[in-house]
Amino acid sequence: MIRFILLQNRQGKTRLAKYYVPLEESEKHKVEYEVHRLVVNRDPKFTNFVEFRTHKVIYRRYAGLFFSMCVDITDNELAYLECIHLFVEILDHFFSNVCELDLVFNFNKVYLILDEFILAGELQETSKKAIIERMGELEKQE
Amino acid sequence: MGSTMRGLSVFISDIRNCQNKELERLRVDKELGHIRTRFKNEKGLTPYEKKKYVWKMLYIYMLGYDVDFGHMEAVSLISAPKYPEKQVGYIVTSCLLNENHDFLRMVVNTVRNDIVGRNETFQCLALTMVGNIGGREFAESLAPDVQKLLVSSSCRPLVRKKAALCLLRLFRKNPDVVNVDGWSDRMAQLLDERDLGVLTSSMSLLVALVSNNSDAYWNCVSKCVKILERLAKNHDVPQEYTYYGIPSPWLQVKTMRALQYFPTIEDPNTRRSLFEVLQRILMGTDVVKNVNKNNASHAVLFEALALVMHLDAEKEMMSQCVALLGKFISVREPNIRYLGLENMTRMLMVADVQDIIKRHQTQIITSLKDPDISIRRRSLDLLYGMCDITNAKDIVEELLQYLSTAEFAMREELALKAAILAEKFAPNLSWYVDVILQLIDKAGDFVSDDIWYRVVQFVTNNEDLQPYAAAKARVYLDKPALHETMVKVGSYLLGEYGHLLARRPGCNPKELFAVINEKLPTVSPPTVAILLSSYAKMLLHTQPPDPELQEQIWAIFRKYESYVDVEIQQRAVEYFALSKKGAALMDVLAEMPKFPERQSALLRKAEDIDADTAEQSAIKLRSQQQTSNALVVTDQLPANGSHSVGQLKLVKIPSQNMEASSVDQGRTEVYGAVSKVDPEAASSADLLGDLLGPLAIEGPPNALIEEEQSQGIEANPSSPGALALAALGDQPNSAQPIINIVERFSALCLKDSGVLYEDPHIQIGVKAEWKAHHGRLVLFLGNKNISPLASVRALILPPRHLKMELSLVPETIPPRAQVQCPLDVVNLQASRDVPVLDFGYRFGTTMVLIKIPVLRFYALDMFSELFYTSQVNVKLRLPMPLNKFLQPMTVSAEEFFPYWKSIPGPPMKLQEVVRGVKPLSLSELANLFASLHLGISQGLDLNPNNLVASATFCSDNSRSILCLVRVETDPADRSQLRLTVASGDPTLTFELKELLKEYLINIPVTTPVGAPLQAQIPAPLQLEPPVTPVTNDPGALLAALL
């Protein structure tokens, strides 16, 4: 299962943090700091997987943004790696050509999208179309 | 894109425009101040504003600032009547709070109303929040409603997929909320779902359910296979669910994951269909240019590989898998190479492929030098897993070489693995000593005391090794900048065996002394103590005495007589006095006797490492299920009775002690095992090789039969091939403890009588009395069998701080009898260590199943073995923690405060914030302290949330010492508290504080002793007469006694 999802830029600013396991505040800060340090300096030629404490982090870099998912040691790495990409495709579609600024100013939307995509640390919906349509429905209600 | 909140955008812009961190903080503080004042006066607050402020709080929180107010406002939005506010309330609450937060309790009802209500949007919001942060309390009150939504025909897929994952969360929090009986049919129906979103979510739920109880969901197997077929053939899969041309790779992966939790697939048709799909995946996955397509197809391929391994496919398919993996570990694409290495390691666990994998050894070692640490880690794991007696030398030498250049993050693991492999597969002992000394030299920080103790044990027990080890130590001690561990082991070995080198150049006593003494000024007190002992040994071994050396050593002893550390002081004084006494010196300082056999501390440590995963790994589950058909060691001893490579013998027992007539058979210790292999069932030369081998090793069947007959077992009529070892594991003769030893120990630390250990043959009870620094503990050994227990052995391994004397233990315990063995204890000083009872017995001619956890770095690495033996050895910690030597006191304010203030701070007064405490109310805390012999002083602390306690600690070495304890709790957060401990003795303060922490973090479960124990005594052997007088039953005797 996904323990947490982080979206951080190169400088380590958190753009999105979602935890599916209960962590204390101080622990969250520590985790965000450590994961950033872990992924930011890795060579692009390295694997997209890196061990983190008793779990592993699957990460992918898009321009200056790092998408990291912490999953169980027994989970299927490539499936989660593509799960990150699917999430990015959804964001890209929703914001049409997403960039970091979109995510900064619309962080509340990003949380909404994520809640349609992943729930309880598991994949909920893998159809881009279904999620985009759902977001449209929700916006009408606001 | 809907409405954006202007105020929020402006605030985010402001933050972005801050030139530096300081200005950002100022801006944030200003905003927080503003929000706080607005929240204080709620009347003027429009819902829109409230919503805006709560989003701002989340943004600030995300930037990493503490937001310690406003949680209430966020939570209260959940109860808002309109969607926009409600949505913000739900989302922000699930980000700001975690499942343990008290505020969540207040909204359980609102959430429930939203779930059962008719507004679909509200249902979704509520299910999402509960799915993300719901805890036990939600699980218990909401599970039935969530289940209803999941199977409801009137709900849209949108709601149902959320309900599936919400239920998954609740199940993880409390598995009881899903009632297996009623649910398994529903679960199977859910798998008929056409909507792939619902199916994806339901499949995740199924994985969690089957990992917990696969039996109940067998009806889902064929449906899973159907889903796989549907996807693999791309039949009826909407375009939106294909990803780069691949029908939902995630659902395929999840489905194959679910199938790995079923032990086998029996139905031939289902099995055939599944294998067709798997074959298609294995053969039809090509490497393509598009990265995403490639990743997705390989995600499916690797899951298929795992499933094939699990299903124990035919040889042909297995070799296809190994061939694929062999290809993967040599490709350049790092992700695929990583996964190739990882899956090869998994494959080692389940299939007999070690030899094929060994062919790739060179390639794997290349990956150990890869620039990417992730790849190096996988390579290390694989090398570790594939190591056996044939390649141990190569592999361990590679690891040692890598150790010199490895980065800090990997050194500890490398050192530990190298040490374990060296111990398991040493072709000879001198090689083992070499490896460990090199390890200490290269990575001394990571070589724990256990490892060098082990070297000393081997050297002490093997005379041939002694001159070799001493010479090696001499060479190392000449090196500059030694690690302190090397100084310890080197000086110990030279002190004990240096005299064996006397004729070699540079090794006369004076020279040895000089080389050791050079280190004395720079080492820490524990090492100084070892050095002093070495000097004393050198005096002893230098015959005739060398006056000059004597004078030098005496001078050192005299110098340390007034050293600040008591231990060193004592040694210096005693050695000095002894060395003047001649004959007495000989007696007291004679060469160390051979060590008793003990389990390798190293392997024990390796067991402690546990992985943390949502679902237990399928492979681990499988290897646990398979323990029973794991391994039979049945080969005959080599004809000449000599031991060939592969066995590190810890103890050679003189032949006259052997009960059996086969005088030249030594007892063999199996590493990591707590069993001794009986002479008759003596192990094969490559026993240790087999230990690490994959699970499917079988001994020659004819040997097995001979074994059985020689052991006089009721002949098993089945053919040797059909001898179902699985059934053996179920026999009541297994000598596995039938109670939880750890739990019993913890319980007995808090009370004075109860059962310490019980297996099908024996029950050990204890009853203790404590008076100041004296204690008397009576061991009750009860034979539950109708045959006697022979060769009963009880050895106490006391820690340094206790003086103990165990009265004689009889060699035999008659059938159904109980013997009492009193044990007297005197406490010398404060320490959390407890003595260990090394206990063993033989019981006739039955078979025992003993589990040998070999190593568990991850969930994957565990398996067990079977041995024929009739000897049981166990090591039990005796419940004599420090708190037994406390006497509760209630002190008045007049006594307390002056004493408390007189101790200013560390090291005599220590304070620590303890986190992760088991939530206890104050009265429970007070009860715990009372059972620890700490007297509660009511009302001394004015704050009702605090607790003050005191006791005197009694030891033989010093007068009674007053200890004071103060606990400050936080009523809002029971999971942490501040603990302060003060006493006149720094060691006592520290040990007591650590001990209290242990109890606070892990409150032992206390269960009533009498009744359940009796119920647990398994049905005795069938030979037993049907009626047994109650008075003869030691279980009953013990229960009555207690």
Side-chain angles (χ1 to χ4, degrees), chain B residues 742 746 916-918 928 996-1005:
Chain B
V742 178
S746 308
V917 174
K918 293 269 167 87
L928 172 70
L996 291 176
K997 250 168 66 190
E998 284 174 25
Y999 282 113
L1000 289 168
I1001 293 173
N1002 182 17
I1003 304 291
V1005 232

Side-chain angles (χ1 to χ4, degrees), chain B residues 125 182 260 275 294 309 393 648 731 745 758 777 884 890 934 939:
Chain B
L125 283 174
Q260 286 167 57
F275 272 104
N294 217 26
M309 287 190 257
K393 258 188 141 161
L648 291 185
Q731 287 194 358
F745 170 79
E758 183 167 17
L777 185 140
K884 301 282 188 191
T890 21
L934 283 164

Side-chain angles (χ1 to χ4, degrees), chain B residues 338-557:
Chain B
Y338 173 99
L339 293 170
L341 291 165
E342 182 176 70
N343 282 282
M344 258 197 184
T345 313
R346 286 183 194 176
M347 192 157 224
L348 275 175
M349 295 291 115
V350 289
D352 189 7
V353 290
Q354 187 133 3
D355 286 333
I356 315 176
I357 290 180
K358 272 195 214 160
R359 289 186 213 141
H360 300 286
Q361 191 165 317
T362 328
Q363 189 59 49
I364 299 167
I365 287 175
T366 314
S367 285
L368 189 64
K369 294 160 187 158
D370 195 276
D372 181 358
I373 188 172
S374 296
I375 297 220
R376 289 198 304 270
R377 283 213 159 106
R378 289 288 72 82
S379 161
L380 174 61
D381 272 358
L382 178 52
L383 286 172
Y384 178 79
M386 66 191 274
C387 190
D388 65 16
I389 192 115
T390 63
N391 56 10
K393 258 188 141 161
D394 293 341
I395 290 182
V396 171
E397 266 145 38
E398 281 295 338
L399 299 189
L400 284 173
Q401 204 190 334
Y402 174 37
L403 191 57
S404 325
T405 54
E407 59 270 71
F408 202 73
M410 272 189 81
R411 291 183 149 222
E412 180 161 19
E413 194 179 345
L414 255 174
L416 187 67
K417 287 191 164 162
I420 292 176
L421 292 179
E423 187 175 317
K424 270 192 195 152
F425 301 120
N428 54 60
L429 282 172
S430 51
W431 180 80
Y432 173 73
V433 171
D434 278 349
V435 170
I436 302 296
L437 290 180
Q438 278 190 60
L439 266 182
I440 298 175
D441 190 36
K442 289 181 171 168
D445 281 344
F446 301 122
V447 178
S448 62
D449 282 347
D450 297 335
I451 300 179
W452 81 262
Y453 290 168
R454 194 80 176 147
V455 171
V456 166
Q457 283 171 28
F458 280 125
V459 175
T460 308
N461 291 356
N462 291 273
E463 278 163 28
D464 306 347
L465 198 59
Q466 292 163 358
Y468 180 83
K472 275 277 165 188
R474 172 74 182 84
V475 173
Y476 273 109
L477 285 183
D478 261 348
K479 287 180 119 186
L482 275 191
H483 192 271
E484 195 161 320
T485 306
M486 186 63 90
V487 177
K488 285 182 189 169
V489 61
S491 58
Y492 183 95
L493 290 172
L494 285 184
E496 201 74 37
Y497 307 112
H499 61 284
L500 302 173
L501 304 178
R503 296 215 182 124
R504 302 191 192 189
C507 295
N508 72 38
K510 254 194 250 163
E511 284 163 316
L512 292 184
F513 170 74
V515 76
I516 297 178
N517 200 37
E518 231 172 60
K519 323 285 188 251
L520 184 64
T522 53
V523 295
S524 66
T527 312
V528 171
I530 294 175
L531 258 49
L532 293 183
S533 302
S534 297
Y535 297 158
K537 293 269 182 175
M538 284 184 162
L539 280 182
L540 169 83
H541 289 309
T542 313
Q543 296 303 340
D546 176 339
E548 207 181 315
L549 179 66
Q550 232 170 23
E551 206 35 63
Q552 276 179 308
I553 291 180
W554 282 344
I556 293 169
F557 286 161

Side-chain angles (χ1 to χ4, degrees), chain B residues 112 114-117 120 123-124 126-127 142-157 159-164 166 183 190:
Chain B
R112 184 162 184 269
D114 283 342
I115 286 181
V116 298
E120 185 194 61
Q123 277 178 337
C124 287
L127 289 170
L142 298 178
D145 300 320
V146 176
Q147 282 174 351
K148 259 182 230 151
L149 289 186
L150 174 54
V151 295
S152 146
S153 53
S154 58
C155 285
R156 279 207 296 165
V159 178
R160 295 177 51 217
K161 66 191 181 194
K162 285 180 194 292
C166 183
W183 191 252
L190 277 174

Side-chain angles (χ1 to χ4, degrees), chain B residues 42 50 70-80 86 90 93 97-114 129-130 133 135 137-138 141-142:
Chain B
E42 264 203 51
K50 210 168 165 183
H71 293 170
M72 195 61 209
E73 280 74 11
V75 173
S76 68
L77 281 177
I78 290 178
S79 317
K86 206 181 223 353
Y90 271 120
T93 300
L97 307 186
N98 74 33
E99 67 183 52
N100 304 319
H101 205 286
D102 279 342
F103 282 179
L104 285 180
R105 277 196 205 131
M106 304 187 308
V107 286
V108 175
N109 268 331
T110 317
V111 173
R112 184 162 184 269
N113 288 337
D114 283 342
M129 188 191 79
V130 177
I133 61 164
E137 218 161 309
F138 281 91
S141 50
L142 298 178

